[in-house]
Amino acid sequence: MFGGRMRRRRTVSLTRETQRSPPPAWPPPPPSSETEEARSERHHKEREAKRVNAAIEKQIEKAREDKEKRKSHTKILILGQSESGKSTILKQFQLFYAPQAFRVEAEAWRAVIHLNLVRSINLILDIVATTITTGAPRETMQSALSISPPSSRWGSGGASVLSAASSAGSDGHGRNALNSSHGQGPSVKELRMRLSPLKHVESILVKRLTADDHSGSVPRPPSRGSSASSTLTTESTSSSQYARASEVIVRGGSGWKELVRRGKQIMQGREWQRDEFDDARQILHACREDVTALWSSAEVQEGLRNEGVLLRNQSGFFLDDAMRVAAIDYEPSFRDILKARIQTMGVEEHEVVVEAGDHPFTGEVGSTWLFYDVGGSRHQRAAWAPFFDDVNAIIFLCPMSGFNEFLVEDRTMNRLLDSFTLWKTVCGSKVLANVTFILFLNKSDILRAKLEAGQSFVKWVRSYKEGQNDVTHVSEYLKSKFIAIHKSSSPKKRPLHVHVTCALDVERMAKVIVSVREVIIEANLVESTLL
Ligand SMILES: Nc1nc2c(ncn2[C@@H]2O[C@H](COP(=O)(O)OP(=O)(O)OP(=O)(O)O)[C@@H](O)[C@H]2O)c(=O)[nH]1
Ligand SMILES: [Mg+2]
């Protein structure tokens, strides 16, 4: 009432103003002396102003429509420490719901797989070169790369073969054990020379993948809408040259895939220009036999072992498949793409639109799932919180195989312990009180391999009294621990859905995804009925 009277009084006073002096017309009339040229320019400016205005209005309308649409999307936040398998799980969802869109990305993944392969080779070349020069094992390299228990880091032979070779085996002409060919194929030294162009290949691949680097750009939280541009870059902050050589980082979004495709299209449009990218593939192809020879060299294997470098245990390992991956007509398989490693930086938003396909959810074709894939290393976790606001479900990953590993960013922190602490924090969040909680106890295949190889779980986890050193009992034990933390830390009672997973296993993951879908849809229904 009060407001209404105020408005009326204002109207009256305005009306009186109007009567005294009429408001100036808008736009103001042109001066009577306006020349033809000035009129034409004025008309041009008016048209331009209208065009800009219309564009802004269209953008506002689109943003409003997008916001409305997003309300109907299912939003899932994937959390967990670095290398727990978050981005791999996302790939599984993409493969399951939108295989055709996923297939289109194969070209981009090939570049990543090649980079993963080339980085492994260059790392070996660096190690071989450094060890030959200094003759001493490098602590920095061990700490950056090896995740083996301290006791098994050094070979049973005691002193490093590489260091022994350079101190005792040198013949005074700079030759040592690694330089001799033993008359069978090229020597390691020869292979080093022949594989040196792979440094250039690495820089070409990195350059292509980082072509429009907007450092630090990350998508905004879902509540504020929109995904953002992305960029992929090499790590620049690590103090260890070896850590830098082994990891590639992608910043928020997935624009790097577009970069690879765009570069290709541009080159196809100008065929007379040679594409550096294709050159890189050719060089890698030409080097593939030498790559295999280097990797299978007993000297290199022993040297790596004595240096404590367990390349097979590392993410993005393709050396065993070098001949296939470096073939000129190589098309990445789904499994290759699942194995390809890029470290996520910031928070990426991925839109997955359900395609018609083998799955039974025909009613859901065309519907959208939004996934938020986060960087899991410690310094990135502060960026997660803004995304808690507006999600339907959390998928939290714990890599079970990390029981005897340490975080790359903190060599004193056991991976399993870190997962427990992180899980406790996430469970305790009040903002997430009503969100569906799903836990993946991941990397079950690596856990199995470790236990079967005789690595003792109880040696690292003293509270594991059950004692049976097999994947079934260990995963049951971990499951009970996570359930207990969830129960004691959650602000209110809520169900928890737990799955033991291997993120590389397409068939088993399809079953897990079906089950995850069911709980999320069910929770969404319950929520909409309550509203
Ligand atoms: N063997 C095996 N490898 C896995 C499994 N899950 C993930 N990986 C591999 O582990 C590596 C790391 O996985 P990512 O998905 O990149 O890890 P992430 O959690 O996204 O890591 P950040 O982006 O650093 O936070 C990749 O090379 C995956 O292929 C698994 O269950 N078994
Ligand atoms: Mg990731």
Side-chain angles (χ1 to χ4, degrees), residues 64-314:
R64 201 189 55 76
E65 281 172 18
D66 281 354
K67 202 175 162 195
E68 273 310 301
K69 234 193 265 171
R70 293 167 71 85
K71 280 189 192 160
S72 64
H73 296 342
T74 304
K75 295 176 229 47
I76 299 180
L77 183 58
I78 312 176
L79 302 178
Q81 65 186 209
S82 187
E83 294 193 77
S84 54
K86 300 181 294 297
S87 303
T88 316
I89 287 293
L90 168 69
K91 290 178 205 168
Q92 287 279 9
F93 273 95
Q94 290 172 316
L95 178 59
F96 184 82
Y97 275 131
Q100 285 162 43
F102 193 59
R103 174 53 74 194
V104 172
E105 294 181 350
E107 170 87 16
W109 283 111
R110 178 170 50 206
V112 175
I113 292 163
H114 281 169
L115 187 54
N116 284 170
L117 174 64
V118 168
R119 286 185 165 226
S120 298
I121 304 157
N122 286 339
L123 177 65
I124 295 176
L125 294 177
D126 282 349
I127 291 169
V128 166
T130 315
T131 319
I132 285 175
T133 314
T134 65
R138 294 178 57 104
E139 189 52 40
T140 48
M141 180 216 359
Q142 290 166 38
S143 57
L145 290 171
S146 155
I147 318 172
S148 61
S151 56
S152 68
R153 183 168 286 162
W154 295 95
S156 54
S160 154
V161 156
L162 302 185
S163 93
S166 73
S167 59
S170 174
D171 61 3
H173 300 283
R175 279 179 285 179
N176 60 29
L178 278 181
N179 297 341
S180 68
S181 67
H182 304 299
Q184 296 169 349
S187 69
V188 171
K189 190 175 180 188
E190 283 162 345
L191 289 171
R192 255 184 71 202
M193 302 268 291
R194 280 151 61 157
L195 292 174
S196 59
L198 292 182
K199 292 271 180 212
H200 181 53
V201 170
E202 179 174 338
S203 67
I204 292 173
L205 290 170
V206 168
K207 200 167 83 189
R208 171 58 62 87
L209 292 166
T210 58
D212 71 350
D213 189 9
H214 313 295
S215 291
S217 69
V218 290
R220 282 168 287 161
S223 49
R224 274 174 273 157
S226 115
S227 60
S229 65
S230 70
T231 165
L232 181 149
T233 181
T234 50
E235 189 173 4
S236 59
T237 51
S238 169
S239 58
S240 159
Q241 58 167 312
Y242 291 104
R244 195 164 53 238
S246 63
E247 199 64 284
V248 185
I249 300 176
V250 61
R251 291 178 207 261
S254 52
W256 62 272
K257 294 172 190 162
E258 191 48 41
L259 276 178
V260 176
R261 278 201 298 273
R262 205 194 313 151
K264 191 85 187 157
Q265 280 159 10
I266 290 169
M267 295 326 297
Q268 278 167 356
R270 291 185 267 142
E271 267 166 23
W272 64 93
Q273 276 189 16
R274 287 182 66 200
D275 182 8
E276 264 197 320
F277 199 44
D278 284 338
D279 284 352
R281 272 176 80 181
Q282 297 282 357
I283 297 170
L284 183 59
H285 174 67
C287 288
R288 68 197 195 289
E289 281 174 11
D290 286 342
V291 167
T292 308
L294 182 80
W295 175 236
S296 52
S297 150
E299 291 146 311
V300 167
Q301 286 296 328
E302 191 170 0
L304 291 174
R305 204 166 35 250
N306 288 328
E307 288 286 313
V309 178
L310 306 173
L311 277 176
R312 265 202 188 84
N313 281 8
Q314 288 183 32

Side-chain angles (χ1 to χ4, degrees), residues 82-88 338-339 341 344 376 442-443 445 503:
S82 187
E83 294 193 77
S84 54
K86 300 181 294 297
S87 303
T88 316
L338 292 170
K339 271 180 66 188
R341 163 69 176 162
T344 310
N442 195 36
K443 300 204 174 181
D445 58 326

Side-chain angles (χ1 to χ4, degrees), residues 78-91 116 247-248 250 313-318 335-346 348 373-377 380 384 397 399 401 441-447 501-505 509:
I78 312 176
L79 302 178
Q81 65 186 209
S82 187
E83 294 193 77
S84 54
K86 300 181 294 297
S87 303
T88 316
I89 287 293
L90 168 69
K91 290 178 205 168
N116 284 170
E247 199 64 284
V248 185
V250 61
N313 281 8
Q314 288 183 32
S315 304
F317 174 80
F318 288 97
R335 190 174 164 84
D336 291 342
I337 297 175
L338 292 170
K339 271 180 66 188
R341 163 69 176 162
I342 290 184
Q343 185 179 347
T344 310
M345 174 69 91
E348 296 177 35
D373 179 19
V374 304
S377 60
Q380 299 194 57
W384 299 359
L397 277 94
S401 55
L441 297 172
N442 195 36
K443 300 204 174 181
S444 59
D445 58 326
I446 304 182
L447 175 70
T501 56
C502 164
L504 304 188
D505 186 332
M509 277 311 304

Side-chain angles (χ1 to χ4, degrees), residues 401 443-453 471-472 508:
S401 55
K443 300 204 174 181
S444 59
D445 58 326
I446 304 182
L447 175 70
R448 183 185 306 276
K450 282 187 174 182
L451 300 179
E452 285 178 1
V471 73
T472 312
R508 287 179 61 183

